């Protein structure tokens, strides 16, 4: 196996010549049970198949002698890793490693990524076959006590001797019989992998089903909450790398300024300029003149000849077109035809990389882990295939690449930079015949050359170094390469075949499919890669998105960390400070919009006013992770509206809060949801005699229960009478009464409220009543589930009535896990006839409170943000972008006197606010507009703490082109209504000039509010803003998609309405 490792990967050469290894044949791995032979074995069928495919994939334009070297492995034995050369003219002949250069670009579209993923679905081991797994050097000596231990803990049986990998031992080129990294087992207590005799070998990397998956409901899942931990870690790295740079500059005598570093890298005496001058036989001044001309033309996007002829550009310090062309010809000739040992670009690359390594690469002695970000930069160059065929040196030794985007051809430069500071560490252009894995192996060996120079230390060369990259870049070969050198990998992932999770794919295979429609959660999977336990995570954000990531430093038994990150870096500096007062902390959460300047006296008055607002700020900004978490299970504007809608039908006429419900529902035009106090005693067929139950939801509930298990002929007679009374009264019932009665039958509140018409409600109630009145035998009665309830209603009722039995698969009847509507209805029929379920239902009814359940349902349902479609996401993003434009225009219009009765001196953005007296009430207004208080009575002698400022909340809405309740067309229609309501003089000043129209209205003008704000949810939203902040006014601003403000409504809320909303 060492022969295979040395010839294929060259991992940890340890200073021993690899050609000599091939000749000696240290060990053979013809079979796991066979002893090592004296020479290299013949390739296995798997390797023979790969070798034939590699030879077929080589470009035809390469000379035949280039394809065969003395080692029989091309030039790959010297570089360490075998990889196929690409055929730049055909995408199908591209190697799997190089294929990522076309498919892993971070700027390509989701559709292109998914299309390519579908093409790769059936080729699980393609990348593994192309670049075999690097073999970790597993070494031990007979009798070496450091390589074995007696264990009696963890997953091992007591007294079993297991051999483990000793990180300090020199293990190069020693093969233990039947002890290979594929035969290791993880001990979670010792946090090590152990060799276990008889353990089944793992064939290559784990397949999708070869991971230990931990779901969110796992009993052992532990969670730890942190604030801003990742930012603190990166800041520690940042400070350490900057301090190291300062020390390096001081040791080298370089000024600690940007100019000093620039002079060192690109000055006349720099390696870069000296290399160009020496190879081109040019003067340093000519080199600088060439670079200045090239970058100046590139910055303006014009050819240098145009700049030379431009009358407004002084071109005497730049290079003219003739000299520039001559310079380019000299550059193109260096290294061609074998006249020079290397091409010019290779010499320039070496000089820049040497400077980057000397200046920016920290080598050791630091207390933080170095984090290196990997990426590939595409350099577009539309060369023609015929040019390369005619001239094998046309690309100067660069590997031709075929990308996906427009202008697809070019070359690739692999890069490594510091993830904390962005300092450049190494850049290497892709050579002919080199795969991305080979290229990165050369980069790693160059950057950390001093570590690879120690014999036997290759497996630890990258210890305490974390390599990060985006999801399109990670390939199996790159991951195994880094892990085999002792490094760590971290980054996002694509939906590859070897990743155990996937989502929204037509052919998931054996991978676990993450449903995107459910709430925020995390799924974990652990699998062995080399000596590392690789952790793969699937994070579902709760709004329709799933992100995949991996980490090789994760521990299976460690608690999972959930982190709250600040949206603004500035907030992280003061949030955890214990030096700020309560007032200072509150004021830190308010931010003025751009362009507003206030005097010191005004700012002091504004700060006093903001501090006096009856709210506590719980987040610094909105729409981040903490905002989405802290809004759950509280009364926000959306959850309050849902709670009011659901609870209204259950509020009895004599309830104390009945007047408050009536006031709020009348303002929001939702009175149809409130039950009528006369419904149960109206004239006609709906009236009741003494002793009879009123015709309402309680009567329906009584009849439904009496017709379930334990019913007798006597209960059937009574139920038929009550059902007939309901049947005779259907036409006279109000909408609210019908709604509550259908809810009692099991129809969900939102369906009753939003989906069913009055005729449909009456029809369903009649169907149920007739099923009882026409019943002739107790034994033959069946509730008409499928005629009244839909699939979702049946699912909710089944979970409600038999949740525990459903989870334990103990339902009465033949079907234990009904998933279709007819099966669910059948299961409910069996439950109706089972006395044990009737008894448990009676126990639940003892504590059943319909009003409380309705309120809680609204809060929980709206506490989780619903997933948005692509169009809805675009509109939401556009609305957030335009908010600042709307607010700026509102401020300017108020300053110019265009907003009646409003003269704003400042507009503040804020995060989530919590009501001081009612902590369960929370709100996220778009802004707080602050004005000077012009009330003459503010300076009351009896009150010292007077307020010189007043304010009102602001809500912004962006109307886009979609045909829905907030469309642009409807907004233009409302604008005409606003103009009609304005004073003639104000209307003339606005109409036809493109200015925004403003109108002051009162919350008592119900019909006007309904016509100007047709969306009922938005009416509740602006009322919620005012109540939470303890203000009586809200500005409702509506703008177009271009960022222009169309109209604004300044609504003043009556104290009675605000009090009713709070009740």
């Amino acid at each position: 196996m060492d022969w295979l490792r040395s010839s294929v990967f060259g991992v940890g050469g340890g200073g021993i010549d690899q050609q000599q290894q091939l000749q000696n044949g240290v060990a053979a791995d013809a079979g796991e049970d066979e002893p090592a032979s004296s020479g290299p074995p013949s390739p296995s069928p798997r390797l023979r198949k790969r070798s034939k495919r590699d030879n077929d994939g080589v470009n035809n334009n390469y000379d035949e002698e280039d394809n065969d070297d003395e080692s029989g492995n091309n030039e790959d034995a010297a570089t360490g890793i075998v990889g196929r050369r690409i055929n730049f003219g055909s995408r199908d002949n591209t190697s799997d490693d190089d294929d990522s250069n076309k498919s892993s670009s971070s700027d390509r579209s989701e559709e292109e990524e998914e299309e390519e993923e579908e093409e790769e679905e059936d080729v699980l081991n393609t990348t593994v076959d192309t670049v075999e797994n690097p073999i970790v050097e597993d070494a031990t000596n007979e009798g070496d006590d450091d390589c074995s231990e007696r264990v009696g803990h963890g997953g091992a049986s007591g007294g079993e001797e297991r051999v483990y990998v000793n990180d300090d031992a020199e293990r190069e080129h020693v093969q233990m019989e039947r002890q290979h990294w594929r035969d290791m087992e993880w001990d979670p207590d010792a946090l090590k992998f152990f060799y276990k005799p008889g353990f089944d070998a793992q064939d290559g990397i784990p397949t999708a089903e070869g991971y230990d998956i931990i779901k969110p409901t796992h009993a052992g899942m532990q969670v730890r909450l942190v604030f801003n931990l990742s930012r603190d870690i990166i800041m520690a790295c940042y400070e350490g790398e900057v301090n190291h740079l300062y020390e390096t500059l001081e040791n080298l005598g370089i000024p600690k300024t940007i100019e000093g570093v620039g002079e060192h890298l690109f000055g006349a005496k720099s390696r870069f300029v000296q290399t160009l001058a020496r190879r081109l036989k040019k003067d340093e001044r000519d080199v600088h003149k060439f670079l200045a001309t090239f970058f100046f033309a590139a910055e303006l996007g014009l050819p240098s000849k145009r700049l030379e002829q431009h009358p407004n550009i002084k071109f005497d310090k730049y290079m003219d077109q003739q000299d520039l062309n001559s310079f380019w010809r000299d550059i193109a000739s260096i290294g061609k035809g074998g006249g020079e040992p290397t091409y010019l670009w290779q010499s320039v690359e070496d000089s820049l990389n040497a400077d980057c390594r000397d200046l920016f690469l920290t080598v050791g002695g630091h207390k933080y882990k170095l984090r290196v970000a990997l990426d590939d930069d595409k350099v577009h160059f539309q060369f023609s295939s015929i040019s390369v065929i005619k001239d094998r040196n046309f690309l100067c030794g660069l590997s031709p690449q075929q990308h996906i985007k427009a202008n697809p051809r070019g070359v690739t430069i692999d890069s490594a930079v510091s993830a904390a500071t962005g300092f450049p560490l190494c850049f290497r252009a892709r050579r002919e015949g080199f795969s991305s894995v080979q290229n990165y192996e050369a980069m790693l060996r160059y950057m950390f050359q001093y570590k690879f120079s120690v014999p036997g230390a290759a497996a630890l060369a990258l210890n305490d170094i974390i390599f990060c990259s985006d999801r399109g870049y990670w390939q199996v070969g790159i991951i195994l390469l880094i892990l085999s050198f002792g490094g760590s990998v971290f980054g996002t992932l694509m939906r590859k075949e070897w990743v155990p999770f996937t989502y929204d794919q037509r052919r998931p295979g054996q991978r676990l499919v993450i449903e995107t429609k459910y709430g925020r959660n995390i799924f974990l999977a652990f699998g062995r890669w080399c000596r590392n336990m690789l952790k793969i995570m699937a994070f579902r954000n709760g709004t329709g998105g799933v992100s995949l990531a991996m980490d090789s430093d994760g521990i299976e038994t460690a608690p999972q960390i959930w982190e709250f990150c600040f949206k603004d870096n500035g907030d992280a500096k003061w949030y955890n400070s214990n030096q700020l007062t309560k007032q200072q902390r509150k004021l830190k959460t308010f931010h003025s919009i751009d362009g507003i300047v206030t005097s010191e006296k005004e700012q002091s008055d504004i700060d006093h006013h903001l501090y006096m607002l009856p709210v506590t700020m719980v987040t610094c900004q909105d729409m981040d992770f903490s905002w989405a978490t802290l809004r759950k299970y509280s009364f926000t504007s959306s959850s309050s509206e849902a709670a009011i809608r659901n609870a209204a039908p259950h509020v009895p006429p004599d309830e104390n809060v009945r007047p408050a419900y009536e006031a709020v529902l009348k303002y929001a035009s939702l009175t149809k949801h409130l039950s009528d106090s006369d419904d149960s005693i109206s004239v006609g067929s709906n009236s009741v005699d003494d002793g009879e139950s009123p015709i309402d939801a309680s009567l329906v509930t009584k009849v439904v229960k009496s017709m379930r298990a334990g019913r007798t002929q006597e209960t059937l007679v009574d139920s038929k009478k009550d059902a007939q009374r309901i049947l005779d009264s259907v036409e006279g019932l109000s909408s609210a009464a019908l709604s509550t009665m259908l809810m009692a039958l099991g129809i969900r509140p939102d369906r009753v409220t939003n989906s069913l018409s009055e005729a449909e409600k009456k029809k369903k109630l009649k169907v149920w009543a007739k099923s009882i009145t026409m019943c002739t035998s107790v034994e033959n009665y069946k509730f008409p589930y499928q005629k009244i309830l839909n699939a979702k209603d049946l699912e909710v009722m089944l979970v409600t009535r038999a949740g525990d039995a459903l989870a334990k698969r103990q339902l009465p009847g033949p079907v234990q896990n009904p998933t279709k509507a007819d099966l669910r209805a059948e299961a409910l029929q069996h439950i109706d006839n089972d006395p044990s379920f009737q008894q448990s239902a009676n126990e639940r009814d003892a504590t059943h409170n319909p009003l409380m359940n309705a309120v809680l349902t609204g809060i929980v349902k709206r506490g989780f943000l619903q997933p948005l479609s692509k169009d809805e996401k675009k509109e939401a993003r556009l609305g957030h972008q335009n908010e600042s434009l709307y607010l700026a225009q509102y401020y300017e219009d108020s300053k110019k006197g265009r907003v009646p009765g409003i003269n704003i001196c400042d507009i503040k953005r804020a995060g989530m606010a919590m009501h001081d007296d009612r902590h369960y009430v929370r709100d996220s207004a778009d802004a707080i507009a602050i004005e000077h208080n012009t009330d003459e009575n503010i300076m009351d002698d009896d009150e010292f703490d007077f307020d010189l400022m007043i304010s009102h909340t602001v809500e912004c809405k962006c109307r886009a082109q979609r045909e829905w309740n907030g469309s642009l067309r409807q907004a233009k229609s409302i604008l005409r209504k606003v103009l009609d309501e304005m004073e003639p003089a104000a209307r003339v000043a606005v109409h036809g000039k493109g200015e925004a129209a403003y109108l002051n209205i009162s919350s008592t003008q119900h019909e006007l509010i309904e016509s100007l704000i047709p969306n009922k949810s938005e009416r509740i939203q602006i009322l919620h803003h005012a109540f939470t902040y303890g203000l009586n006014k809200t500005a409702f601003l509506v703008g177009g998609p271009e960022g222009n403000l169309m109209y604004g409504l300044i609504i003043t809320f009556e104290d009675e309405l605000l009090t009713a909303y709070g009740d």
Side-chain angles (χ1 to χ4, degrees), residues 334-355:
I334 300 298
K336 278 196 172 183
E340 298 282 347
T342 59
Y343 294 104
L344 179 61
W345 64 265
Q346 292 175 303
S347 300
V348 172
E349 178 184 87
D350 291 340
S351 64
L352 288 175
N353 282 336
D355 280 332

Side-chain angles (χ1 to χ4, degrees), residues 181 249 264 353 427 439 515 554 608 669 801 887 900 907 949 994 1040:
W181 67 267
L249 294 177
H264 178 76
N353 282 336
F427 299 91
N439 217 40
E515 295 291 343
H608 174 76
S669 302
R801 297 186 59 192
L887 294 173
I907 295 181
M949 295 289 174

Side-chain angles (χ1 to χ4, degrees), residues 27 45 147 198 445 474 526 546 557 670 738 834 902 932 951 977 1035:
C147 295
R445 290 182 178 274
W474 289 117
F526 293 86
V546 175
T557 57
L670 294 172
L738 284 171
D834 192 317
I902 301 293
H932 288 283
S951 62
K977 296 180 182 178

Side-chain angles (χ1 to χ4, degrees), residues 196-211:
K196 183 178 180 181
F199 185 73
D200 294 334
Q202 175 183 321
D203 185 14
I205 67 171
T207 57
E209 63 269 24
Y211 291 83

Side-chain angles (χ1 to χ4, degrees), residues 792-855:
K792 186 63 177 178
D793 295 332
L794 291 169
E795 179 184 7
V796 172
M797 177 174 283
L798 186 61
V799 172
T800 302
R801 297 186 59 192
D804 295 339
L806 182 64
K808 297 176 182 179
R809 302 294 189 266
Q810 296 177 355
L811 291 176
V815 181
Q816 293 301 308
N817 186 26
T819 57
K820 296 183 179 180
D822 56 343
L823 297 179
R824 289 169 180 165
E826 181 181 351
L828 287 170
Q829 297 287 1
H830 286 286
I831 291 175
D832 288 343
N833 296 319
D834 192 317
S836 62
F837 283 90
Q838 183 67 14
Q839 181 180 1
S840 61
N842 292 334
E843 294 174 354
R844 288 195 303 271
D845 290 340
T847 58
H848 179 65
N849 188 330
L851 180 59
M852 180 182 295
N853 290 345
V855 173

